[in-house]
Amino acid sequence: MNFFESLDYVKIVKFRISQYPKKGYGVLKKIAEHLGVNSTFISQVMSGAKVLNLEQATLLCEYFSFTRLETKYFLLLIQLERAGNGALKKFTLEQIEEVRTEANKISSRLPAESKLNDSDKAIFYSKWYYSAVRQMTAIPGKGTPEVIADALGIPRKVVVEAIEFLLKTGLIKEENNKFIIGPSSTHLEAESPLVKNHHVNWRSKAMDLFDQDHSDKLHYSSPMTLSKKDIQKIRSILLNSIEEVGKVVDSSNSEEFYCINIDWFKVPKKTS
């Protein structure tokens, strides 16, 4: 559903809950705890028997990590629901239309196919999760903030912030209430100062996973001495392997998210 098209705040809440893993099982209880109310009250809200007040609605927006504009719109829906006379309802509906207009302007500014500029590259390569969130949207059924947050083990708020940036830059796009890989592309020149960030981000992530037991993962480190003539031979083997991996990935369906890190370097003498 389009967040800014609905005038039913309960419908928005139900849809957001449905985007969580296991179709949101247990989320209502967590919402009740976050709002400081009992589960019965939340059930009554979901059935339409009770209405949230603005304080409770603000906490709910916080729980869902709504954007600034989403929060503004949601609180206006609560105000509309609680409005006691026609004048307030009319005024609130006018404000709702203003927010809708603003939301449409933001959508229209999203870029078509393009490459990241330098300032956007600096943000994209500053943290591993920008790339990770983008890659997750390529996997069918993984294109919601709730599922991505659960899969990557990071807070939903972090995922939402990453999604906002990725949408702004065209690296992902929204389609049928899901986020998918967008038309914009990323590329770092070999001499870019951000290359180091990119490698460090993913090597650090690999180190974080060392202690996790997965039969399909592989970590390999092998300091070695060898003849000078074999140095380039091994480098060529690695380059050919990278090329073969690329061919497999290009024709492979996006079903799982993996990362490969390869290092081949001369260990320097200690310098003073």
Side-chain angles (χ1 to χ4, degrees):
M1 65 174 290
N2 186 313
F3 190 100
F4 298 101
E5 285 183 358
S6 179
L7 287 176
D8 186 344
Y9 81 92
V10 173
K11 186 177 180 180
I12 290 175
V13 173
K14 288 181 177 179
F15 176 76
R16 285 300 173 110
I17 291 175
S18 72
Q19 302 303 293
Y20 280 81
K22 300 180 181 179
K23 296 183 178 180
Y25 178 79
V27 172
L28 284 179
K29 181 180 179 181
K30 292 179 180 179
I31 288 175
E33 292 173 353
H34 190 77
L35 270 59
V37 298
N38 58 52
S39 297
T40 301
F41 174 77
I42 293 298
S43 297
Q44 291 174 326
V45 169
M46 300 302 290
S47 68
K50 297 280 188 180
V51 181
L52 295 173
N53 60 38
L54 288 176
E55 289 78 11
Q56 293 164 340
T58 301
L59 289 174
L60 184 59
C61 292
E62 180 182 81
Y63 179 85
F64 283 129
S65 298
F66 284 165
T67 65
R68 180 195 65 81
L69 204 59
E70 287 174 339
T71 297
K72 184 176 181 180
Y73 186 80
F74 190 82
L75 294 181
L76 284 172
L77 294 185
I78 298 296
Q79 181 172 298
L80 180 66
E81 184 72 19
R82 300 184 68 87
N85 58 52
L88 181 55
K89 286 186 176 181
K90 181 175 181 295
F91 177 73
T92 304
L93 283 170
E94 290 174 353
Q95 288 183 301
I96 287 173
E97 285 304 314
E98 290 175 2
V99 174
R100 284 175 168 175
T101 300
E102 185 178 353
N104 287 332
K105 286 181 179 178
I106 292 174
S107 298
S108 67
R109 289 202 300 267
L110 296 181
E113 185 171 359
S114 62
K115 293 183 178 180
L116 294 185
N117 58 40
D118 289 342
S119 61
D120 287 336
K121 282 182 180 180
I123 295 174
F124 184 74
Y125 292 105
S126 66
K127 302 290 184 181
W128 69 274
Y129 55 75
Y130 286 107
S131 176
V133 170
R134 181 173 184 253
Q135 292 299 323
M136 287 295 296
T137 64
I139 304 175
K142 302 291 186 180
T144 68
E146 295 77 16
V147 172
I148 293 173
D150 182 68
L152 297 180
I154 58 178
R156 184 185 184 278
K157 183 177 181 180
V158 173
V159 173
V160 170
E161 290 173 352
I163 284 174
E164 289 179 348
F165 169 78
L166 295 170
L167 282 172
K168 178 177 71 71
T169 54
L171 290 171
I172 65 173
K173 60 183 180 179
E174 189 171 8
E175 188 174 283
N176 298 325
N177 301 315
K178 305 285 185 183
F179 297 106
I180 60 174
I181 286 284
S184 296
S185 61
T186 63
H187 175 69
L188 279 181
E189 299 76 13
E191 63 276 9
S192 171
L194 297 174
V195 166
K196 179 180 177 181
N197 282 16
H198 178 57
H199 292 310
V200 168
N201 284 342
W202 286 105
R203 279 158 179 76
S204 296
K205 194 61 185 172
M207 292 176 66
D208 290 342
L209 299 174
F210 275 164
D211 295 330
Q212 294 189 17
D213 185 19
H214 293 293
S215 60
D216 55 355
K217 72 174 183 174
L218 172 66
H219 298 291
Y220 178 75
S221 296
S222 178
M224 64 188 73
T225 59
L226 69 166
S227 65
K228 291 182 178 179
K229 68 181 180 63
D230 288 333
I231 292 173
Q232 288 303 318
K233 184 184 296 185
I234 292 180
R235 187 175 187 274
S236 295
I237 291 172
L238 294 175
L239 287 174
N240 290 336
S241 297
I242 292 171
E243 185 177 352
E244 288 301 312
V245 168
K247 291 178 181 178
V248 172
V249 172
D250 286 343
S251 59
S252 181
N253 293 329
S254 296
E255 296 173 351
E256 298 286 352
F257 181 23
Y258 271 68
C259 177
I260 182 170
N261 295 324
I262 297 177
D263 299 298
W264 176 246
F265 58 95
K266 179 181 180 180
V267 181
K269 295 180 180 179
K270 185 177 180 180
T271 58
S272 56

